Amino acid sequence: MCDNEAFPENEELLEDETTQAWERTASAFDRNVRLDKFWGTALEEDGVSRGKVQDWIKSGGATVDGKVCTKANLKLSGGERLTLEGESASGTLIPEDKPLEILFNDGSIAVVNKPAGLTTHPAPSCPTDTLVHRLIHHFPQIVDMDPWRPGIVHRLDKFTSGLISVALNEHDRLAMSAAFADREVKKTYLAIVHGVPEREFGDIDEPIGRHPVHKTRMSVLMKGGREARSSYTVLWSDPAGRASLVRVRIHTGRTHQIRVHMAHIGHPLLGDQVYGAREHALMVRENPKLAEFAGRQMLHAHSLSFTHPGTGERLDFLLPPPDDFVTLLKELNRSVQRVGLIGMPCSGKSAVLREFWEQGIPVFSADVSVAQAYEKDAPGWELIRQRFGNRFIDAETGNIDKPALFSSMCEDESVRREIMDIIHPIVRHEAEEFFVENVSSPLAVAEVPLLLEGGWHTEKLVDVVVGVHCPESRRTGELREKRSLPAETLAVFDSWQWDEKSKLACCSAVIENDAGLDKLKSETMRVLGELAALREQKEDDFSALLHRLFSEKEG
């Protein structure tokens, strides 16, 4: 029901084994809403039907501002204090002998690990198989403390995993409840959210209340909401920018607080189909494999710190997230290895790219991208025409006059730079889209001659740079002649790039092209092995990072 909170002041259970009651205050948004509809919507999450609500109202179970109301169709004005009382689904809690990980127990206080998918306490929609049913099996002394929530002083959503404290006697329950109410308990969570927050850390201080239309949901409300404050820190973001691991500390305990606050800043939790329905649907459509790993809202109660009500000792607990949480993070980290392929002109980059393609690896060619950009009505053609008019447009075909353009670029450095400023962003955008489209592949290779000169490696647009080295005599002789490229033209191309030594110094791997195609294929396969080793090392490094993050308390 909530991310981790002491029970809301407006919702409590009567001390009666056969009845349960709720208290709410109607908001201004509830004006003209029927009483039965109000309660039917409010209790939908608890599995109470509107028909059952009507029966309870007609039998005298409802009050409006302290007066019994038996009219289910009464329309609210807004601001009324409302109560509803009805029979419980069952009169007695029955212990259930099921697994329960007990992290701490001194006879007064216990701290347990609530698994995702387990409801904290019984409700009409979930009368059995809750955390409470397991607690009263392991701690039978608490069964008489409360008919439905014995020992419970704060809750976790059904699909939230992690730390939850339990009072084992009434005295300590009251003391712990007071500590929660006075905000003396420190709670932090780990969450996997959609996208990458703009700021690495921040505070969200936005009031939360019932959604004005969808009563089973909470929402940030500028009017009528209760104070709610959360602080978050981004711990890691996946290379493709799809998701981030964040640590969240809640300073208040509102229902669904973390889920509402993170959605409010545009980064709902992965797997949250209530507050992140649009983002989840997009993930299902674009990356169904990844969506399968987000089978629940990815939220884990990571740390819990409080003062023991009996001894006065400060107790600190830390619990790493469960396997499904870790598996999703590792899957995100396995996003495509973005390989940039470079080399001097006529070094054999295209032949290497073809070898990659024949191995079933997605490939991208900047040369092809530029050629397409020059086609009539393409973005490059349009921008060049806007800047230079018909100066570089062939009068007969309407296409870019490439010889005239190249000649002008050779003669006038300012023209060359302007053309580069037009074409390079187009190539860059298409390359980025290429990597996004292949995000689920182990690796993808983009051949971009001016990758280093464009700063792609320093801006982390690629993960690995692979170079092609070809002996100068072979490059300027045999391979140049195969392309029918004049020596003067090759010299111009060389002058527009870094020197070979500087290029290769930035490479993680180098393919030698000093013989025929058989040698080139062998070299390509060797580098593929090196790239695979880099991916394995990346996974090992990431596992070590997660271990460190999961072992850290909030700084």
Side-chain angles (χ1 to χ4, degrees):
M1 291 285 291
C2 53
D3 296 323
N4 190 355
E5 61 174 341
F7 294 117
E9 295 174 1
N10 65 347
E11 182 181 337
E12 58 185 41
L13 291 175
L14 297 180
E15 298 296 320
D16 185 323
E17 293 188 356
T18 60
T19 62
Q20 56 187 154
W22 298 266
E23 293 185 7
R24 298 284 166 82
T25 299
S27 71
F29 296 107
D30 297 313
R31 182 178 177 84
N32 291 324
V33 174
R34 284 172 51 124
L35 183 63
D36 60 345
K37 183 177 181 181
F38 173 89
W39 280 116
T41 303
L43 302 183
E44 181 179 354
E45 193 173 63
D46 286 342
V48 179
S49 68
R50 187 171 174 181
K52 178 63 70 175
V53 165
Q54 291 173 341
D55 291 342
W56 289 346
I57 294 174
K58 292 174 182 177
S59 64
T63 68
V64 178
D65 288 334
K67 297 180 179 180
V68 174
C69 177
T70 59
K71 295 181 179 180
N73 63 352
L74 174 74
K75 290 191 176 181
L76 301 174
S77 299
E80 298 96 332
R81 183 71 174 178
L82 308 173
T83 69
L84 182 66
E85 184 177 319
E87 73 274 10
S88 300
S90 174
T92 305
L93 287 173
I94 299 176
E96 296 179 5
D97 184 6
K98 294 184 178 180
L100 179 65
E101 185 178 2
I102 301 171
L103 305 173
F104 175 82
N105 172 24
D106 69 352
S108 299
I109 297 293
V111 176
V112 303
N113 175 17
K114 188 194 84 66
L118 184 66
T119 300
T120 300
H121 60 76
S125 60
C126 186
T128 61
D129 194 19
T130 70
L131 176 64
V132 162
H133 289 89
R134 301 185 189 191
L135 286 172
I136 61 175
H137 170 78
H138 291 274
F139 306 105
Q141 70 270 31
I142 72 172
V143 71
D144 295 327
M145 290 171 58
D146 184 283
W148 298 109
R149 303 170 180 174
I152 300 296
V153 292
H154 64 116
R155 300 180 290 190
L156 294 177
D157 273 356
K158 177 178 180 179
F159 294 105
T160 298
S161 58
L163 294 165
I164 188 166
S165 59
V166 182
L168 303 181
N169 59 71
E170 186 63 13
H171 176 271
D172 290 322
R173 185 188 71 81
L174 293 173
M176 286 292 291
S177 295
F180 272 97
D182 294 338
R183 301 177 186 175
E184 297 172 355
V185 179
K186 184 177 180 181
K187 301 155 289 183
T188 62
Y189 295 74
L190 295 174
I192 306 175
V193 302
H194 286 276
V196 181
E198 184 177 350
R199 299 171 56 189
E200 291 186 8
F201 55 87
D203 291 323
I204 309 171
D205 192 353
E206 299 288 354
I208 290 177
R210 288 277 166 191
H211 193 285
V213 177
H214 306 290
K215 297 298 182 180
T216 59
R217 296 174 53 180
M218 307 302 288
S219 176
V220 167
L221 298 177
M222 294 301 103
K223 293 183 179 180
R226 300 174 66 192
E227 178 196 6
R229 185 163 70 91
S230 309
S231 302
Y232 72 88
T233 302
V234 179
L235 303 177
W236 172 85
S237 297
D238 94 276
R242 297 166 297 175
S244 300
L245 171 66
V246 298
R247 178 188 291 123
V248 185
R249 179 183 177 187
I250 58 172
H251 305 275
T252 53
R254 304 299 171 227
T255 300
H256 299 173
Q257 179 171 322
I258 293 175
R259 297 165 64 191
V260 171
H261 269 173
M262 295 310 297
H264 180 69
I265 65 171
H267 301 283
L269 275 59
L270 263 71
D272 191 340
Q273 298 185 49
V274 175
Y275 299 105
R278 180 176 61 83
E279 290 82 358
H280 185 78
L282 185 63
M283 182 171 65
V284 168
R285 185 170 65 251
E286 296 186 349
N287 198 331
K289 180 182 177 182
L290 187 63
E292 290 180 4
F293 288 96
R296 65 172 176 101
Q297 64 211 27
M298 287 296 146
L299 184 62
H300 174 72
H302 181 231
S303 72
L304 180 64
S305 178
F306 58 89
T307 300
H308 193 289
T311 66
E313 178 186 2
R314 191 69 181 177
L315 300 178
D316 298 297
F317 300 93
L318 200 66
L319 180 67
D323 290 344
D324 66 335
F325 195 99
V326 177
T327 299
L328 176 57
L329 287 171
K330 289 184 176 181
E331 187 65 24
L332 286 164
N333 184 59
R334 289 192 189 100
S335 59
V336 62
Q337 183 182 41
R338 300 168 300 175
V339 179
L341 182 65
I342 65 163
M344 296 300 290
C346 293
S347 61
K349 298 185 298 298
S350 297
V352 171
L353 195 68
R354 186 164 53 252
E355 292 293 337
F356 280 125
W357 178 77
E358 289 180 354
Q359 294 299 318
I361 297 167
V363 297
F364 169 88
S365 168
D367 290 341
V368 172
S369 176
V370 171
Q372 292 173 345
Y374 282 158
E375 292 178 358
K376 185 177 180 181
D377 297 325
W381 179 91
E382 183 63 37
L383 290 171
I384 290 172
R385 190 167 179 269
Q386 289 178 10
R387 171 62 185 86
F388 297 99
N390 291 326
R391 178 178 173 184
F392 301 119
I393 302 297
D394 187 289
E396 294 184 5
T397 66
N399 296 324
I400 294 290
D401 187 340
K402 294 179 183 178
L405 180 62
F406 177 71
S407 176
S408 184
M409 292 172 65
C410 292
E411 296 171 358
D412 190 334
E413 176 66 14
S414 64
V415 172
R416 185 183 77 84
R417 291 192 176 278
E418 283 196 68
I419 295 298
M420 294 298 184
D421 288 343
I422 289 172
I423 297 300
H424 282 191
I426 295 173
V427 174
R428 175 172 173 155
H429 173 73
E430 291 185 354
E432 289 175 331
E433 289 295 307
F434 161 75
F435 285 130
V436 170
E437 290 169 2
N438 293 283
V439 69
S440 297
S441 300
L443 76 161
V445 181
E447 179 262 322
V448 184
L450 298 180
L451 182 148
L452 298 176
E453 292 82 351
W456 288 28
H457 60 312
T458 57
E459 295 181 46
K460 305 300 182 183
L461 298 180
V462 293
D463 304 307
V464 183
V465 179
V466 172
V468 179
H469 171 250
C470 182
E472 187 71 7
S473 60
R474 188 164 192 263
R475 183 177 76 87
T476 59
E478 174 189 348
L479 297 186
R480 176 187 63 79
E481 291 170 0
K482 281 186 177 181
R483 290 185 56 183
S484 301
L485 193 68
E488 297 79 8
T489 301
L490 178 60
V492 171
F493 286 155
D494 284 354
S495 71
W496 291 349
Q497 302 189 21
W498 289 4
D499 64 88
E500 185 176 55
K501 182 178 180 180
S502 298
K503 278 179 173 286
L504 297 182
C506 295
C507 297
S508 299
V510 176
I511 294 173
E512 292 291 344
N513 185 19
D514 56 1
L517 287 177
D518 289 342
K519 172 69 179 297
L520 187 66
K521 183 172 184 177
S522 174
E523 281 288 290
T524 302
M525 296 303 293
R526 174 183 62 81
V527 167
L528 278 175
E530 294 181 13
L531 292 173
L534 288 174
R535 293 196 298 276
E536 291 178 6
Q537 184 61 53
K538 176 188 175 184
E539 292 188 10
D540 291 343
D541 292 345
F542 187 63
S543 294
L545 171 66
L546 292 182
H547 177 75
R548 177 175 61 81
L549 292 175
F550 297 160
S551 302
E552 287 180 348
K553 295 180 182 178
E554 184 182 29

